Amino acid sequence: MKTTLSISPVERAADVLERILNTIKNDNGAKANLKRALTGEPRHRRAAYPLVLRYLSEKEEEYHLEPWLLVTCLLAYYPQDIDPGNKSTFGHSARRLKNDDSSRGPERRFRALLDTSVEDLRSPLTAMVRLMKSKGIPINYPQLLVDLCRWDHPDQYIQDKWARTFWNAPRSETDTEGLDDQLEN
């Protein structure tokens, strides 16, 4: 009897991002292609396809290509170690950015980000990651990827999770399964 092991979406994202990071770590041309793809220009995005598509399932490519491309490009721009055990969200990183900056800019940007549709996330998310890079604030890319794949959920539970983390509000009882653990770090 064949047994199929099930891994969580965060573990899957961590595995693929780690493989992509290992592929590009000594390839400056590949890193440059991914960084240029952050502009959103179609020709630059196409240059990133060979680096990303080979690792994606048919379903991931069909339904979640945009988040995969965006997060992979951000990882090339601001590389981080991939830790599948890390439970922090982008809300945690944004809160650290707010705490490290005396201006209201990070909070204003974060509020705008929460109200942005998935199609328009590239520019504001990239701007926040640039600020985080300048302050050395870590980002949990596997969790960011999973969250972006769920961004358009009608309940907007990802935006709520990020907002609660950012403003450090208590969790509600209606959180979906598994979200409570992710907010504890």
Side-chain angles (χ1 to χ4, degrees):
M1 181 184 282
K2 194 174 192 177
T3 305
T4 305
L5 295 177
S6 179
I7 64 171
S8 75
V10 172
E11 290 170 326
R12 165 76 178 141
D15 177 58
V16 172
L17 291 173
E18 185 70 43
R19 289 166 51 201
I20 292 171
L21 202 54
N22 286 334
T23 300
I24 67 169
K25 73 178 167 188
N26 295 319
D27 187 343
N28 290 333
K31 287 183 220 174
N33 284 338
L34 288 170
K35 290 175 190 177
R36 279 192 296 271
L38 283 172
T39 65
E41 290 184 38
R43 66 187 175 110
H44 295 311
R45 290 171 35 84
R46 283 190 300 273
Y49 286 169
L51 302 165
V52 178
L53 291 178
R54 69 177 133 180
Y55 297 107
L56 302 185
S57 69
E58 196 173 297
K59 182 180 174 185
E60 289 166 335
E61 181 181 337
E62 183 175 352
Y63 296 108
H64 301 295
L65 178 59
E66 293 308 314
W68 276 98
L69 278 174
L70 177 57
V71 172
T72 302
C73 293
L74 291 171
L75 180 61
Y77 171 73
Y78 181 30
Q80 306 269 307
D81 290 334
I82 303 297
D83 177 9
N86 183 350
K87 302 293 184 193
S88 65
T89 68
F90 197 76
H92 288 96
S93 299
R95 184 176 69 211
R96 286 189 60 188
L97 181 63
K98 176 184 78 161
N99 293 341
D100 285 357
D101 194 319
S102 60
S103 74
R104 301 216 15 110
E107 184 170 348
R108 182 182 43 79
R109 286 176 186 264
F110 187 72
R111 281 180 188 271
L113 182 67
L114 292 177
D115 291 331
T116 303
S117 68
V118 73
E119 297 85 23
D120 298 323
L121 276 175
R122 182 188 43 78
S123 182
L125 192 62
T126 301
M128 288 205 65
V129 169
R130 283 189 175 116
L131 287 172
M132 290 172 186
K133 180 180 180 183
S134 74
K135 304 271 186 188
I137 296 171
I139 298 168
N140 181 359
Y141 286 110
Q143 185 64 57
L144 175 60
L145 177 56
V146 170
D147 287 351
L148 293 182
C149 289
R150 298 171 177 167
W151 192 259
D152 272 344
H153 191 278
D155 292 339
Q156 294 190 334
Y157 70 95
I158 296 300
Q159 292 89 329
D160 289 343
K161 176 176 69 168
W162 286 16
R164 282 192 312 273
T165 303
F166 184 80
W167 286 288
N168 214 15
R171 296 180 303 267
S172 74
E173 292 296 320
T174 60
D175 282 346
T176 58
E177 183 179 321
L179 293 181
D180 288 341
D181 295 336
Q182 295 171 6
L183 293 174
E184 290 177 359
N185 289 343

